[in-house]
Amino acid sequence: MPGADKRAAAIFDVDGVRAAVTGAASGLGFAMAEVLALNGARVSLLDANESLLEAAVKELADQGAIVTGEILDVADPVAVDRAFAAIAERDGGLDAVFANAGISRGAGIIVEEGKVENADRDAYQQVIDVNLNGVLWTVQAAARIMRAQKHGRIIATASTAGLSTEAFCGYGYIAAKGGVVNLVRQAALDLARDNVLVNGIAPGPFYTRIGGPSGADPEVVEYWSSTVPLGRMAEPSELQGVVLLLAAPRASTFVTGAIIPVDGGTLIGPPISAFSRPTAGFVR
Ligand SMILES: NC(=O)c1ccc[n+]([C@@H]2O[C@H](COP(=O)([O-])OP(=O)(O)OC[C@H]3O[C@@H](n4cnc5c(N)ncnc54)[C@H](O)[C@@H]3O)[C@@H](O)[C@H]2O)c1
């Protein structure tokens, strides 16, 4: 019975859950796979980067987790279908799928080459292929399995850049993440009567590999930190509570079509420090 045991450990229990995470070899995807696997889920890590994937699987397997790794390019719908069908066949079903793989390409509008007139078409197309189409192919493959088994959780990684503007991001990224937000809502409606819950996570700035080597650049860190009311970027582990909330069969059983920000307050507006000091006229 859902909720029969009211202890937090029971509500957030993912022991035995069959889960798959795309983009699981690094950053947020690895944090998702890690929290699921180290709490007893059987996790398939899917990623396009073979060496990173091998290292990620080894790191979790060395801690006793039940994990496997599959090379997958989420932009290839045939490969996505094949990979997910094989996982479900091997494990006898699939309970939770994280459509997380993503890239960032194309300059933001804060620089000349990122302005709309100059937006690079190849970069735009690459980002749409992975960050938007890749999510749809993943949701589609998951739905083919989950609708038939009449249960499942699908969680897509959107971004604050899908719910608001972000001057540092390129057009492909903004468009793809905006698309993911409404794709999640549409799929949630589509799958609701089959007990498949579809939700999104909207992260703010996290320390991952997505920005390339410049990710750790102090100027970049300072920029991102200045956009966050909590005043800093986040570690991938700070996403893990929400991952358990959305994936655990007894948690969030009445949550679908939601986009949950994990953003240090970014979406509530610019930090107070972004405004200049009020003049005497504002102070009453
Ligand atoms: N880091 C952030 O600040 C941030 C903020 C908001 C949203 N996100 C989103 O989080 C998700 C994960 O990104 P991250 O920040 O952890 O970056 P990351 O680069 O550390 O990890 C992304 C992983 O996805 C894999 N990948 C890339 N293209 C792929 C493809 N075509 N098929 C399969 N795997 C592929 C990469 O090999 C890598 O392992 C992305 O969707 C990203 O847009 C990140």
Side-chain angles (χ1 to χ4, degrees), residues 22 46-48 70-87 134 137-138 140-142 144-145:
T22 70
L46 301 138
D47 205 284
E70 335 276 337
I71 306 282
L72 176 69
D73 176 1
V74 296
D76 176 348
V78 176
V80 173
D81 253 345
R82 202 186 303 124
F84 278 88
I87 290 167
W137 310 142
T138 305
Q140 184 173 59
R144 287 189 173 134
I145 297 155

Side-chain angles (χ1 to χ4, degrees), residues 207-229:
Y207 291 103
T208 70
R209 289 193 176 87
I210 199 161
S214 76
D217 181 333
E219 233 184 303
V220 174
V221 171
E222 196 188 327
Y223 167 79
W224 283 118
S225 301
S226 77
T227 67
V228 181

Side-chain angles (χ1 to χ4, degrees), residues 22-29 46-49 52 72-75 99-103 130-131 157-160 173 177 202-211 233:
T22 70
S26 172
L28 305 187
L46 301 138
D47 205 284
N49 185 318
L52 280 181
L72 176 69
D73 176 1
V74 296
N100 166 76
I103 55 172
V130 176
N131 292 18
T157 306
S159 169
T160 51
Y173 197 84
K177 293 301 184 181
F206 278 71
Y207 291 103
T208 70
R209 289 193 176 87
I210 199 161
M233 289 177 62

Side-chain angles (χ1 to χ4, degrees), residues 25 30 50-60:
F30 181 74
E50 192 169 356
S51 54
L52 280 181
L53 180 62
E54 211 173 289
V57 170
K58 184 174 181 322
E59 185 174 337
L60 297 178

Side-chain angles (χ1 to χ4, degrees), residues 20-39:
V21 181
T22 70
S26 172
L28 305 187
F30 181 74
M32 292 167 182
E34 179 185 49
V35 72
L36 294 165
L38 297 185
N39 284 286

